[in-house]
């Protein structure tokens, strides 16, 4: 298996308040949190992962959470200095940090930019104060405007806004108004995704009244049209970008690239030439357990290797999210398997009008894109 692009994901798990829809590995800050010790742990973890990189360039770094903007610019600077010390950053590497409008401030944003961060992702979710309260957000619409202005004044030219649709009791008109306000701030990228109810969340225990599937699809279609009218090109299910501003880090995920993961609960995927497969591992989820294991030099994770059927499914699960799907050479390069192996597996989906497949590759049809979850269910490997 040939080498594939390599990224770095950094997980900072703390947030001011856990949102009722959030199923990420995040923990509310109930008192002071161990910022310096955790940063030390990240750097120690990073040093241990240097061998995994095997001299490969890191094309992107994504600092996610939680709310990474809770960390000081000094901590982020220390972290990125360690990245440059232990790994090889590509010359024009994309370096992203997630920020919550409720925790942002001019000093931190300017400090993040000075530390080397060149892309910022602002979690707006909605511009309706009523919806923000329903979603358990700690900011209001004015804070979103302030955060974007602060980011621009701090030197960020690459700004993403996260926005959700199909919110509790939301109408098509209200969803459109949310999107219009986001575009009025002139970001370079908008992540526009549907609110869904996930297990182990407060919304799962106490479900709000959400729009039905037809209404949600109507909002999605309306959103895609509005975004296209304003020069945002859709390249993935929930991702829209101005020209040359697609998120390189997430594209690497969706193209089935490799990534190193450091931090509590971080996942990692590395292509293995000798085994002709992919290894996956996950770091301990709780921050205290993660730090303890890191400093004690105990095994941080259990590595497992994907069986061939899993490898194929994971490739398809990621690449079929992209509007252009995947190319034959990409499948063979990233999996080490012949493209011919897919034909019999994908033909029933092609016959049902869900996939468009040719000699050069495959992508979802419009109908397949709409029913992507159901399409992927049909591709799940049979259980032994």
């Amino acid at each position: 298996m040939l080498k594939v692009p390599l990224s770095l994901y950094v997980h900072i798990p703390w947030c001011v308040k856990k949102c009722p829809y959030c199923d990420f590995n995040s923990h509310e800050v109930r008192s002071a949190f161990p910022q310096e010790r955790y940063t030390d742990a990240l750097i120690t973890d990073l040093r241990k992962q240097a061998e995994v990189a095997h001299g490969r360039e890191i094309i992107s770094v994504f600092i996610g959470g939680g709310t990474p903007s809770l960390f000081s610019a000094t901590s982020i600077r220390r972290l990125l200095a360690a990245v440059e010390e232990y790994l090889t950053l590509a010359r024009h590497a994309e370096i992203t940090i997630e920020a919550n409008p409720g925790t942002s401030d001019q000093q931190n944003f300017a400090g993040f930019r000075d530390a080397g961060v060149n892309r910022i992702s602002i979690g707006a979710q909605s511009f309706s104060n009523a919806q923000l309260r329903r979603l358990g957000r700690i900011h209001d619409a004015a804070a979103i405007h302030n955060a974007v202005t602060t980011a621009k004044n701090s030197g960020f030219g690459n700004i993403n806004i996260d926005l959700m649709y199909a919110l509790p009791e939301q109408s098509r008109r209200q969803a459109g108004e949310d999107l219009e306000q986001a575009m009025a701030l002139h970001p370079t990228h908008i992540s526009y995704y549907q609110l869904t109810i996930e297990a182990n969340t407060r919304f799962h225990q106490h479900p709000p009244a959400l729009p039905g599937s037809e209404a949600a699809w109507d909002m999605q279609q309306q959103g895609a049209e509005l975004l296209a009218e304003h020069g945002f090109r859709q390249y993935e299910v929930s991702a829209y970008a101005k020209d040359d501003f697609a998120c390189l880090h997430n594209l690497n995920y969706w193209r089935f690239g490799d990534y190193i993961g450091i931090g509590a609960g971080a996942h990692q995927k590395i292509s293995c030439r000798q085994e002709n497969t992919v290894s996956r591992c996950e770091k301990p989820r709780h921050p205290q357990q993660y730090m303890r294991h890191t400093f004690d030099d105990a095994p941080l994770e259990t590595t497992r290797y994907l069986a061939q059927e899993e490898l194929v499914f994971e490739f398809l699960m990621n690449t079929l999210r992209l509007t252009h799907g995947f190319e034959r050479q990409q499948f063979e390069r990233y999996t080490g398997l012949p493209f011919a192996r897919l034909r019999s597996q994908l033909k029933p989906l092609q016959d049902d009008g869900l996939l468009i497949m040719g000699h050069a590759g495959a992508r979802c049809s419009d109908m397949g894109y709409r029913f992507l979850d159901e399409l992927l269910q049909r591709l799940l490997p049979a259980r032994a």
Side-chain angles (χ1 to χ4, degrees), residues 152-167:
K152 291 180 178 180
N153 290 341
S154 299
F156 284 99
N158 193 354
I159 300 172
N160 171 64
I161 292 178
D162 280 344
L163 196 68
M164 294 195 292
Y165 66 91
L167 302 178

Side-chain angles (χ1 to χ4, degrees), residues 33 35 68-77 97 108 111-112:
F33 58 97
Q35 180 174 173
S69 56
L70 285 173
F71 271 41
S72 69
T74 299
S75 293
I76 299 303
R77 184 177 294 107
I97 193 167
N108 264 7
F112 295 155

Side-chain angles (χ1 to χ4, degrees), residues 331-346:
F331 175 78
E332 294 179 345
R333 177 186 177 194
Y334 284 45
T335 68
L337 301 171
F339 182 66
R341 187 200 183 289
L342 282 180
R343 291 194 175 278
S344 61
Q345 185 176 0
L346 298 185

Side-chain angles (χ1 to χ4, degrees), residues 113-163:
R113 187 69 188 90
D114 289 343
V117 179
N118 54 31
R119 182 177 184 272
I120 193 164
S121 181
I122 296 173
Q125 314 312 352
S126 176
F127 286 82
S128 161
N129 287 334
Q131 288 288 7
L132 289 170
R133 287 191 294 272
R134 288 191 184 104
L135 295 172
R137 304 297 288 173
I138 62 173
H139 65 268
D140 58 14
I144 303 170
H145 288 264
N146 291 338
V148 174
T149 299
T150 298
K152 291 180 178 180
N153 290 341
S154 299
F156 284 99
N158 193 354
I159 300 172
N160 171 64
I161 292 178
D162 280 344
L163 196 68

